[in-house]
Amino acid sequence: MPKLGMEPIRKAALVKATIAEIGRAGSLDVTVGQIAKRAGMSSALAHHYFGGKEQMFLAAMRHILTRYGAEVRSNLGRAHDPRKRIEALIQANFTAGNFEREVIGAWLNFYVLAQTVPEARRLLRVYQRRLRSNLAHALRPLIGARAVDVADGLGAMIDGVYLREALSDKAPDGAAAAELVLSYLAAELKRI
């Protein structure tokens, strides 16, 4: 007989283990067994909850995106002018929970998976559109018609910083990463 109330706890453990295992491996080349073992349960139970590795990884990315969205909303709640809103959006990408080795590895693999898995592609497009929309909305009062182009540049900078970090041997430095993107923002704002 299943233990009542355990499903959400076990699913959360599997999501956390998926992120950790993909971060450790640096790729999606991990097994359900490895993920389940890290989560402290059997492969059969992991398959029962998610059906397979792809579904586990998609659940892990939904978790990462949900956590990122909460960070964005929290940062925006403290930003009271357009410049502060842009900075808040940028800095949300580089907080300790969003810019840690395992999460960076998950993002890199998410981009790879999105090339072949429609659900991953859909999730990635939702994230990209929201980021672009939020950045452009905050930029518009400052730079008008250039807002969308600069928002696209900022999005590309964020993606590039994550890519470089995924290939780095050093520990992630969110403050330095945010500063790099913020310096691009400052240069674009001077071009008015």
Side-chain angles (χ1 to χ4, degrees), residues 4 20 96 105 149 167 186:
L4 294 177
D149 290 339
L167 302 172

Side-chain angles (χ1 to χ4, degrees), residues 141-191:
L142 300 173
I143 58 175
R146 290 184 47 238
V148 172
D149 290 339
V150 174
D152 287 342
L154 288 168
M157 285 285 297
I158 292 166
D159 288 347
V161 169
Y162 267 75
L163 177 60
R164 285 184 175 203
E165 194 59 48
L167 302 172
S168 174
D169 294 331
K170 299 181 292 184
D173 182 349
E179 196 53 45
L180 180 63
V181 179
L182 289 169
S183 68
Y184 170 79
L185 170 66
E188 286 296 324
L189 291 178
K190 286 181 185 176
R191 290 183 54 209

Side-chain angles (χ1 to χ4, degrees), residues 9 16 23 36 58 60 64 70 74 115 135 165:
I9 294 167
K16 184 177 178 183
L58 289 170
I64 288 169
S74 174
Q115 294 177 49
L135 289 168
E165 194 59 48

Side-chain angles (χ1 to χ4, degrees), residues 11-21 38 60 63:
K11 280 185 170 182
L14 285 165
V15 163
K16 184 177 178 183
T18 301
I19 295 166
E21 280 299 309
R38 182 178 283 264
H63 171 76

Side-chain angles (χ1 to χ4, degrees), residues 4-95:
L4 294 177
M6 289 303 293
E7 182 175 348
I9 294 167
R10 288 179 177 152
K11 280 185 170 182
L14 285 165
V15 163
K16 184 177 178 183
T18 301
I19 295 166
E21 280 299 309
I22 290 169
R24 178 198 56 77
S27 74
L28 294 174
D29 192 24
V30 297
T31 66
V32 171
Q34 290 169 306
I35 294 167
K37 183 177 180 181
R38 182 178 283 264
M41 63 189 78
S42 71
S43 296
L45 199 52
H47 279 287
H48 168 74
Y49 287 128
F50 289 103
K53 182 174 66 173
E54 188 175 288
Q55 290 78 20
M56 278 188 233
F57 184 61
L58 289 170
M61 283 312 301
R62 283 186 202 95
H63 171 76
I64 288 169
L65 287 164
T66 298
R67 191 168 61 187
Y68 167 74
E71 191 76 39
V72 166
R73 287 185 298 279
S74 174
N75 282 8
L76 288 175
R78 296 186 300 270
H80 301 294
D81 64 62
R83 176 76 183 248
K84 293 291 182 195
R85 287 182 63 79
I86 300 164
E87 292 171 0
L89 288 163
I90 291 168
Q91 289 168 341
N93 290 276
F94 303 108
T95 61

